[in-house]
Amino acid sequence: YFARKANHKGSYSLVDALKSKV
Amino acid sequence: PKTFKVQVITMDAEMEFSCEMKWKGKDLFDLVCRTLGLRETWFFGLQYTIKGVCAWLKMEKKVLEQEIPKEDPVKFHFLAKFYPEKVEEELLQEITQHLFFLQVKKQILDEEIYCSPEVTVLLASYAVQAKYGDYDPAFHKPGFLAQDELLPKRVLKQYQMTVHMWEEKITAWYAEHRGIARDEAEMNYLKIAQDLAMYGVNYFSIEQNKNHTDLLLGVDAKGIHVYSIDNRFSPNKSFEWSAIRNISYSEKELTIKPLDKKAEVFKFFSSQLKVNKLILQLCIGNHDLFMKRRRVDSIEIQQMKAQAKEEKARKKMEH
């Protein structure tokens, strides 16, 4: 759910993080 | 193995460690926690400053591969990075409470957290109870607080009161706290402090795309908030963690996508890429704790809660 595509880009999906912890 | 020296500064101590060159951030962090006897490690981090920007040591990366200041010893501050939503429910160990108490007290005295004069006096009285124990007029003679930093400078300047008058005011409250043990006094301090508007918020200067209005972004235990530059107390806009779908950055731009697909996507620019990385790191950490609080406690937490309860009962008996 946290993805770093390049050194200057990052993304965090709260929805995916929640799904993975349920 | 080859080593390098590290100095770690906590709120009340300085320690020196020899680190192996290959150590990851986690290795050093765990060693510090073990040395302190701290188990509620998830609130804390090792902070350093690089080119005027504050940063936190990453756990999974080698210490020496991070952009840390080139000094000998390398200096880190061991500080709370994340705050609980409710101190009385989440801070279990006495050491954790004590470190939070010291850190929040410093933020209030340094005016990083605004606090009204009335409340600063009440907070000071709890800090005095924690330090001196029960008030005893035979022992605590006028002037006994002369060496203690108890109130923010702004408050001292705001009123035409002598040091003696402040001491009297604080002592009047202090005398009311008779029978409260050190850990209780510190917890009472935190319970009041956590209701202050600026408590636990990490603020960042941001610019909005279109009209270049300067704003502040705040990240805390509950979510992300947007403030006008001149009002750090009440946000114009708030995104609770449970209402956010995704947070992403590209260079200096950061985007918050709400869960509600019809709601407006919030885009802004921060001053540096480095700041965006820090904002996202704080969001991930806070969101992780937010989810953790809403799940069943782990065995470790259950044990710690039971232990804390026992300890409290034992202390109360002793007291």
Side-chain angles (χ1 to χ4, degrees), chain B residues 174-187:
Chain B
Y174 168 37
E176 299 282 319
H177 304 328
R178 192 182 303 277
I180 298 179
R182 189 188 88 152
D183 57 325
E184 263 181 283
E186 293 186 351
M187 185 42 87

Side-chain angles (χ1 to χ4, degrees), chain A residues 1-2 4-19 21-22, chain B residues 58 241 244-251 259 273 277 280 283-284 287-288 291 295:
Chain A
Y1 23 94
F2 172 69
R4 180 173 289 141
K5 289 149 195 154
N7 194 36
H8 59 278
K9 277 188 181 185
S11 171
Y12 176 62
S13 166
L14 288 82
V15 177
D16 291 349
L18 187 62
K19 276 186 206 155
K21 295 275 164 77
V22 172
Chain B
K58 289 191 186 71
W241 295 124
I244 305 174
R245 175 183 305 279
N246 186 280
I247 307 164
S248 60
Y249 66 81
S250 174
E251 295 288 347
L259 202 58
L273 168 63
K277 286 185 179 179
L280 192 65
C283 288
I284 294 173
H287 179 243
D288 199 47
M291 292 189 295
R295 287 198 301 267

Side-chain angles (χ1 to χ4, degrees), chain B residues 129-257:
Chain B
Q129 177 73 20
K131 181 172 176 183
Y132 293 93
D134 285 349
Y135 175 58
D136 178 355
F139 189 69
H140 301 119
K141 294 270 167 58
F144 80 105
L145 296 178
Q147 298 307 315
D148 292 301
E149 191 193 359
L150 291 167
L151 299 167
K153 289 196 182 68
R154 171 185 45 81
V155 172
L156 293 172
K157 273 191 229 151
Q158 208 176 334
Y159 295 88
Q160 292 200 321
M161 280 174 59
T162 61
V163 175
H164 179 69
M165 286 154 86
W166 282 117
E167 187 182 273
E168 269 187 350
K169 239 178 150 44
I170 294 170
T171 306
W173 278 109
Y174 168 37
E176 299 282 319
H177 304 328
R178 192 182 303 277
I180 298 179
R182 189 188 88 152
D183 57 325
E184 263 181 283
E186 293 186 351
M187 185 42 87
N188 285 346
Y189 186 105
L190 287 172
K191 280 202 260 186
I192 298 167
Q194 74 179 348
D195 290 333
L196 299 170
M198 293 170 71
Y199 164 93
V201 185
N202 282 283
Y203 293 95
F204 300 92
S205 294
I206 55 164
E207 259 178 22
Q208 238 185 336
N209 197 1
K210 296 170 205 158
N211 38 10
H212 285 271
T213 13
D214 284 329
L215 295 170
L216 289 170
L217 186 86
V219 181
D220 72 5
K222 291 188 174 128
I224 304 177
H225 317 280
V226 186
Y227 305 82
S228 329
I229 201 90
D230 54 359
N231 182 357
R232 289 176 182 239
F233 300 151
S234 42
N236 302 329
K237 200 185 282 201
S238 274
F239 302 91
E240 284 208 9
W241 295 124
S242 56
I244 305 174
R245 175 183 305 279
N246 186 280
I247 307 164
S248 60
Y249 66 81
S250 174
E251 295 288 347
K252 293 183 195 170
E253 190 182 49
L254 209 139
T255 307
I256 300 169
K257 282 191 187 144

Side-chain angles (χ1 to χ4, degrees), chain B residues 113-132:
Chain B
I113 296 177
Y114 173 81
C115 182
S116 73
E118 296 78 15
V119 177
T120 57
V121 170
L122 178 60
L123 289 175
S125 70
Y126 278 117
V128 171
Q129 177 73 20
K131 181 172 176 183
Y132 293 93

